[in-house]
Amino acid sequence: EILGDHQEAETIYKEVLPVFREFNDRNHVNEYYFQMAGLSFLKGEYEQARSWAQDGLAQGKQLSKLGEAQVHGRFAGTIGMLFNIEEHYLKAEILIQDYFAKYGKGTTEFSIWRSLAYAHCGLENLDAARDLLHSFLNEQMWKHAAGYQVQYLPVAAQIAASEDDLELAAELLSLSFHHPAAATGWLEKFPLILRLRQRLEDELAPEALAAAWDRGKSLDLGETIQELLAEGDGGL
């Protein structure tokens, strides 16, 4: 999943879940409930994602207190993105901030930071979104986590659009749709992204948009991220 092979990841998760259930390995059962929730979300299957997450939270209550922060972090990350998809950006931000208030900001849970970044975009708090983008990409470069990196590109596209660099926004958004590690089901249903695409169509000349979209398809992900990071301390 980190590398972006979502179909293979789902196959493996479905194979191992019954094994962990058979051996009553509650920690791993809980982990893979949320992994399945995340994959359902990426496919745009939002109600299925919500069901997996709620089941994971309920199952997580049977775990020891040691696993409480992890369970709630996974839940907040998944439900936070579902709030964002529904354009309840403030609810997503509050959910994440409540988690931080209780458990601290030391989590490495990818979905939490992704949820917060998109909540910032929806609330038009682009400076905070930029800081999160820069921090995340800087951390993930050495991990070669293409599957995670590409999910942040629409954040970069939103920031570029906010600065009226619409051709760059189109290139980044195109890469987020066409990279081999991309998952597009959620992007095709996300109002924030749909509005950005509409703005690009409204404000760019058709030939300019088509050229930028084509350039984006062939961009190298690593080089693109390096360029984003090189533009300054969090700036694009």
Side-chain angles (χ1 to χ4, degrees), residues 2-49:
I2 291 173
L3 296 175
D5 193 343
H6 303 105
Q7 185 173 356
E8 179 66 14
E10 183 175 15
T11 298
I12 293 171
Y13 297 163
K14 287 181 176 179
E15 288 176 354
V16 300
L17 252 175
V19 178
F20 290 132
R21 286 194 186 111
E22 180 181 354
F23 287 92
N24 199 30
D25 185 342
R26 292 176 177 173
N27 286 312
H28 280 100
V29 168
N30 182 263
E31 176 184 354
Y32 286 103
Y33 275 7
F34 284 106
Q35 296 298 103
M36 290 297 295
L39 290 178
S40 294
F41 171 82
L42 291 177
K43 291 192 292 183
E45 298 172 355
Y46 300 138
E47 288 310 309
Q48 184 62 61

Side-chain angles (χ1 to χ4, degrees), residues 3 5 17 25 27 39 41 53 55 72-73 88 100 129 138 159 165 181 186-187 201-202 219 231:
L3 296 175
D5 193 343
L17 252 175
D25 185 342
N27 286 312
L39 290 178
F41 171 82
D55 287 350
H72 284 266
H88 299 315
F100 288 154
N138 199 38
I159 295 168
D165 194 342
W186 65 293
L187 293 176
E201 292 177 6
D202 291 343
L219 288 178
E231 288 295 328

Side-chain angles (χ1 to χ4, degrees), residues 57-90:
L57 182 64
Q59 191 272 344
K61 293 178 180 178
Q62 304 173 33
L63 302 177
S64 68
K65 286 291 183 180
L66 293 176
E68 182 179 284
Q70 194 170 44
V71 172
H72 284 266
R74 293 166 179 161
F75 180 80
T78 302
I79 298 300
M81 278 307 291
L82 291 172
F83 282 155
N84 286 331
I85 290 292
E86 296 166 348
E87 298 210 274
H88 299 315
Y89 301 111
L90 185 59

